[in-house]
Amino acid sequence: MRCRQMPTNLLLSISVKYWQDFQDTLAKVMDANIYIFDVNGGSFSRFSRPVELCQQINKGSKICNEKCIRFYKSALHSLEDKDVLTCPNGIRLYAYRLGTYAQKIGFLVITSIKPNAQMSSEEENVFLTKAHSIYQTINEILKAILEKNLLGLRRLELNSIYEISRLLTSTVELDKVLDLITNSLIIIYKADLSFVGLREGDKIRIAQAKGEYGHLLIGNEWSMTQPLIEQVFSKLEPSSLSIEELMTLPGLTGLEVAHRNEIVIYPLWSALGAAGLLGIVFPAPLDDDGRRNLQIYANFAAVALANAKLIYRLEREAETDFMTGFFNKRALGYMLVQELEKLTRYNTPLAVIFLDIDDFKSYNDTFGHLAGDVVLQKTAEIIKKSIRLVDIAGRYGGEEFAIILPGTKGEGAVAVAERIRKSIELYPFPHRQVTASIGVAVAQKNDTADSLFARADQACYQAKKQGKNRVCWDQNQSSDLQ
């Protein structure tokens, strides 16, 4: 695979593609926007996250407006160490010189994704701390790569691992931890492939992988009793594998690894037991310093993964209805707020369905709570089979369900509601036929989550009032829905 390299005046040899992945991950973890310039003030990377004003002016993720280019070249040329700048369009920028006192590598510019005018002084202080942390991390990594390239030493590698480990153990979002682990290994160790498997009961599921063949690994599941996996978790130390041994794992068809590569799998142990595994394929064998540093990194990765998994599980339990596996009312409300924000920003349609099982109390009282539970669970299954992956279904409470349909107009929402109603009517529930009344409402300008749910609920009430087992829409929107 041929990759564009950093300009030679940066004295580095880094794949731009992999650097951008790493930079974007760092930006996501720190909730900031990052941009890197070479030593002459020319663009190297692109914006990690959208800056609407810059997108409008520069028509993309790279700086192309002549006024902007002149500003950056002039401002960065005179930058001694670090400074807070304001660009010609009023965006506040935190700029740092990258490299050492003696060797300039390039420049780092960090900005908030939130407009300056909307930040309080406290928020700005917090952001300044984040910006400095990003600078320390990127600078240590670039210095380590520079030292390795020029002198063949790994003396500074430990500093970069320290900075990444600090971010890892302070991050609780599982997806961010996974991205940070895999992207960091590609950049710091120039690994050909890195992957993280999460322990899920009696199996390991590959949750993230980076490198040319990373896509072949993601989603693979390996039993904890598979001989190679059993061998990996039979000890605390990492296992060095041959390509033949690696290929005994199921699902690796198409993976190409040269025999000269070094393949290592680390079991990730925490105080709670096996959290998962970390696999790395290196282009050449590591020296003793490299192995020691990587073991330190793996130890931090294990702690970070265990913490993130625990937080993720607690969050999921807090927002999930135990009976149906659907989101609960609180989670639904939070997600509807997010969808309404997207509607405001992108002006896309949004609909909500409110469903109430007819005469559920009578069914429950007559046939018992266990029979009532079956009705709730089967209704949830019918809803799940009737909606798209992007739709969001939840149990609103009791026998009430709500479904959020992003990007859906009234006609489409009514069609989905009718499909669900018909499926429930025809399903062979035990004891007797079950039906549902359904209301549909489409988001209007200035709608809140409460007002939208309330209008869908009111439409559902109308369906009940008109005889049950039918779909009604919000009366205020009849022209849109008909």
Side-chain angles (χ1 to χ4, degrees):
M1 181 177 64
R2 298 182 61 184
C3 296
R4 191 162 63 89
Q5 304 291 309
M6 266 191 170
T8 53
N9 58 8
L10 288 171
L11 298 174
L12 295 170
S13 176
I14 303 173
S15 158
V16 171
K17 175 181 179 299
Y18 291 141
W19 175 267
Q20 190 69 53
D21 284 348
F22 170 71
Q23 178 188 306
D24 294 350
T25 297
L26 207 55
K28 189 166 70 171
V29 168
M30 302 299 282
D31 198 23
N33 203 354
I34 302 174
Y35 202 97
I36 289 184
F37 295 83
D38 66 24
V39 74
N40 296 316
S43 299
F44 166 61
S45 61
R46 55 175 168 74
F47 293 115
S48 287
R49 308 180 75 178
V51 180
E52 289 187 8
L53 181 58
C54 295
Q55 296 277 335
Q56 292 165 14
I57 294 171
N58 291 294
K59 312 297 181 191
S61 56
K62 279 211 164 191
I63 294 171
C64 58
N65 179 281
E66 284 300 322
K67 188 176 177 183
C68 297
I69 291 173
R70 282 197 303 275
F71 163 75
Y72 281 109
K73 281 186 179 293
S74 170
L76 297 178
H77 179 72
S78 58
L79 186 69
E80 292 291 331
D81 180 24
K82 62 181 179 180
D83 201 356
V84 180
L85 311 171
T86 301
C87 82
N89 299 298
I91 298 175
R92 190 172 302 157
L93 311 164
Y94 297 86
Y96 298 86
R97 196 182 87 158
L98 295 170
T100 63
Y101 177 77
Q103 178 65 59
K104 189 189 296 182
I105 299 176
F107 301 97
L108 169 69
V109 171
I110 304 167
T111 186
S112 171
I113 56 174
K114 191 174 180 181
N116 305 128
Q118 295 180 15
M119 290 177 71
S120 65
S121 58
E122 183 178 349
E123 286 174 325
E124 186 162 359
N125 286 335
V126 170
F127 186 78
L128 183 59
T129 304
K130 283 184 182 180
H132 191 66
S133 183
I134 292 171
Y135 157 69
Q136 283 183 305
T137 303
I138 287 180
N139 204 37
E140 291 299 340
I141 289 174
L142 290 181
K143 285 195 297 184
I145 294 172
L146 184 65
E147 183 192 60
K148 176 71 171 59
N149 288 348
L150 295 180
L151 306 174
L153 301 175
R154 292 185 177 275
R155 186 186 52 186
L156 299 179
E157 190 175 82
L158 194 58
N159 293 347
S160 60
I161 287 175
Y162 166 76
E163 294 296 340
I164 289 292
S165 301
R166 203 162 48 84
L167 293 181
L168 271 178
T169 50
S170 62
T171 305
V172 295
E173 293 97 333
L174 186 56
D175 60 331
K176 293 179 180 177
V177 170
L178 291 169
D179 279 351
L180 200 52
I181 291 173
T182 49
N183 280 313
S184 299
L185 289 170
I186 294 287
I187 289 298
I188 297 174
Y189 285 92
K190 298 184 77 172
D192 288 339
L193 179 66
S194 68
F195 56 93
V196 177
L198 295 181
R199 168 84 182 274
E200 293 181 352
D202 59 355
K203 65 186 178 187
I204 292 288
R205 181 179 63 82
I206 302 303
Q208 185 55 285
K210 290 288 179 179
E212 189 173 359
Y213 295 99
H215 62 286
L216 297 176
L217 277 82
I218 295 176
N220 275 309
E221 294 182 348
W222 301 323
S223 168
M224 292 293 287
T225 58
Q226 200 277 343
L228 183 58
I229 298 300
E230 206 168 41
Q231 174 194 318
V232 167
F233 285 101
S234 66
K235 52 187 181 179
L236 297 175
E237 298 77 20
S239 297
S240 292
L241 309 178
S242 65
I243 177 61
E244 290 78 14
E245 288 174 313
L246 180 67
M247 295 305 282
T248 62
L249 293 170
L252 299 188
T253 306
L255 180 67
E256 294 182 19
V257 178
H259 279 85
R260 67 175 182 280
N261 289 146
E262 179 165 18
I263 306 166
V264 186
I265 295 186
Y266 287 79
L268 298 177
W269 293 101
S270 75
L272 300 175
L277 60 78
L278 173 61
I280 314 165
V281 177
F282 300 102
L286 285 178
D287 57 22
D288 289 343
D289 284 346
R291 288 178 180 279
R292 183 197 61 192
N293 294 345
L294 194 53
Q295 181 64 67
I296 294 170
Y297 184 84
N299 294 342
F300 278 110
V303 173
L305 266 187
N307 289 343
K309 282 178 65 179
L310 182 61
I311 297 291
Y312 177 77
R313 196 184 77 198
L314 292 173
E315 287 179 343
R316 291 291 298 173
E317 288 176 356
E319 65 185 16
T320 303
D321 170 55
F322 177 76
M323 178 69 67
T324 61
F326 274 10
F327 291 112
N328 59 26
K329 181 178 178 180
R330 185 180 69 88
L332 269 179
Y334 174 70
M335 290 177 183
L336 185 55
V337 168
Q338 290 183 314
E339 293 302 326
L340 285 168
E341 287 176 356
K342 291 179 188 174
L343 178 147
T344 303
R345 173 172 289 192
Y346 303 113
N347 197 30
T348 53
L350 173 67
V352 166
I353 291 173
F354 203 95
L355 181 150
D356 190 297
I357 299 173
D358 295 328
D359 304 314
F360 181 76
K361 184 176 185 307
S362 164
Y363 191 101
N364 220 21
D365 291 345
T366 306
F367 306 111
H369 292 295
L370 289 178
D373 290 349
V374 171
V375 170
L376 292 171
Q377 290 163 351
K378 292 298 179 186
T379 299
E381 287 178 18
I382 290 170
I383 291 173
K384 190 175 181 181
K385 289 178 181 175
S386 304
I387 60 177
R388 306 165 300 175
L389 286 175
V390 295
D391 297 332
I392 304 162
R395 186 179 174 198
Y396 200 76
E399 68 274 24
E400 298 170 333
F401 294 84
I403 307 157
I404 302 168
L405 304 168
T408 305
K409 293 182 178 179
E411 299 91 333
V414 169
V416 173
E418 188 58 38
R419 187 163 63 239
I420 294 171
R421 186 201 65 77
K422 194 72 176 175
S423 298
I424 293 173
E425 182 185 35
L426 296 177
Y427 189 83
F429 286 97
H431 308 298
R432 77 180 188 204
Q433 184 190 41
V434 173
T435 61
S437 299
I438 303 178
V440 175
V442 176
Q444 297 175 329
K445 194 176 181 181
N446 300 325
D447 245 331
T448 64
D450 287 342
S451 67
L452 185 52
F453 274 139
R455 289 194 290 107
D457 186 20
Q458 182 60 31
C460 182
Y461 173 75
Q462 290 299 322
K464 292 271 188 195
K465 196 174 176 182
Q466 292 176 21
K468 304 176 183 175
N469 190 24
R470 66 190 63 214
V471 175
C472 284
W473 53 80
D474 177 25
Q475 294 298 310
N476 296 326
Q477 297 174 326
S478 57
S479 59
D480 173 59
L481 289 164
Q482 284 175 321

